[in-house]
Amino acid sequence: AEILNYFEQFENAIITGSFLEKGFDFKDIDVLLITDKKIGTDSIKYHFEREFGISIHITVIGFKSLLKGLSTDPLFQMMLSKFVSKKRAIFKIKNEINYKLLDLHLLESKALIDNFYFLPGKEKYKLTRNLTAIKLFIDNKKIGIEAVDSEIDGYFGKETVNNIRENLLDKDFLDKYKKLYDKIFKAILNGIKNGSKQKQAY
């Protein structure tokens, strides 16, 4: 990607976001600048807004912190399942379940239940994908955009991913979503109560 040329001074630069997915807006761009140095990002953001008319979200992170985040955060794993980078990046990680972190992520997914009839399809898809990624993480399964979408269609029914994006959902979807949410919530709650990092049964 031509954008990578603007990050030569960093150890590595990883660019991700939904713009890498078919049918999504190029304006959604996340940039991870891999460095242990403390740097300001305002000038970089301003440059991209001025030169390209796009807004980017920049995170400055050391490589060790990056690996730690990937090992404990299913949403981080999903975000980095598709990316382009300045240098080749290979991540060797082993999942470490932090139930309190998963609880925070799960709470965000509750917004679909509370606001089902008001949310646009794009937001419903994001929340459903996040919920499903948490489930796969607890099950110690591979997390990626394709794997998550396949899990969604497998649980909710064929063509569900497309139906969510088009906001063509009914109460049956909501009922299944609530059941999945409750199962994951129970597993996380048991993990927190037991103070254990071991996988909890559903």
Side-chain angles (χ1 to χ4, degrees), residues 98-114:
N98 179 333
Y99 286 104
K100 290 184 178 179
L101 176 61
L102 296 183
D103 189 41
L104 289 174
H105 284 325
L106 187 67
L107 186 60
E108 293 179 12
S109 293
K110 191 173 184 291
L112 188 146
I113 298 172
D114 297 335

Side-chain angles (χ1 to χ4, degrees), residues 63-74:
F63 189 71
K64 287 184 178 179
S65 296
L66 174 65
L67 293 181
K68 182 66 176 177
L70 283 170
S71 67
T72 59
D73 193 331

Side-chain angles (χ1 to χ4, degrees), residues 1-186:
E2 188 177 327
I3 294 175
L4 290 168
N5 295 331
Y6 291 87
F7 303 109
E8 286 297 327
Q9 70 270 37
F10 298 100
E11 180 182 333
N12 203 353
I14 296 172
I15 299 178
T16 183
S18 62
F19 78 99
L20 290 172
E21 301 173 46
K22 185 178 179 181
F24 274 78
D25 197 336
F26 185 72
K27 292 180 181 178
D28 181 15
I29 300 178
D30 290 288
V31 178
L32 299 180
L33 299 179
I34 313 303
T35 179
D36 289 319
K37 299 176 181 178
K38 290 185 178 181
I39 63 163
T41 60
D42 288 345
S43 61
I44 300 174
K45 288 181 181 179
Y46 176 74
H47 173 79
F48 277 89
E49 288 178 1
R50 185 187 61 189
E51 294 293 321
F52 303 106
I54 57 175
S55 179
I56 62 175
H57 179 261
I58 300 176
T59 300
V60 180
I61 189 170
F63 189 71
K64 287 184 178 179
S65 296
L66 174 65
L67 293 181
K68 182 66 176 177
L70 283 170
S71 67
T72 59
D73 193 331
L75 305 191
F76 202 32
Q77 282 189 21
M78 187 168 61
M79 183 181 81
L80 284 178
S81 64
K82 277 188 176 181
F83 65 87
V84 292
S85 59
K86 185 166 71 78
K87 295 179 181 177
R88 188 182 180 194
I90 299 174
F91 308 117
K92 293 182 180 180
I93 58 169
K94 184 177 180 181
N95 286 353
E96 298 175 20
I97 296 182
N98 179 333
Y99 286 104
K100 290 184 178 179
L101 176 61
L102 296 183
D103 189 41
L104 289 174
H105 284 325
L106 187 67
L107 186 60
E108 293 179 12
S109 293
K110 191 173 184 291
L112 188 146
I113 298 172
D114 297 335
N115 303 285
F116 179 73
Y117 296 102
F118 307 102
L119 291 173
K122 184 177 180 181
E123 188 65 20
K124 286 177 181 174
Y125 174 57
K126 175 187 172 184
L127 295 170
T128 304
R129 198 160 67 169
N130 289 355
L131 180 70
T132 305
I134 295 169
K135 178 189 181 298
L136 291 176
F137 187 79
I138 293 175
D139 290 344
N140 200 30
K141 293 181 179 179
K142 183 181 178 182
I143 297 175
I145 293 166
E146 288 83 3
V148 170
D149 283 354
S150 178
E151 184 75 14
I152 290 172
D153 280 344
Y155 176 77
F156 291 100
K158 193 176 180 181
E159 297 298 323
T160 297
V161 169
N162 288 333
N163 289 339
I164 298 173
R165 287 175 172 173
E166 298 295 325
N167 213 1
L168 301 173
L169 302 173
D170 54 22
K171 191 174 179 298
D172 182 53
F173 171 87
L174 181 59
D175 290 341
K176 286 183 177 180
Y177 188 97
K178 286 178 179 177
K179 286 180 181 178
L180 181 59
Y181 182 95
D182 289 342
K183 282 184 178 181
I184 296 173
F185 177 74
K186 184 178 178 181

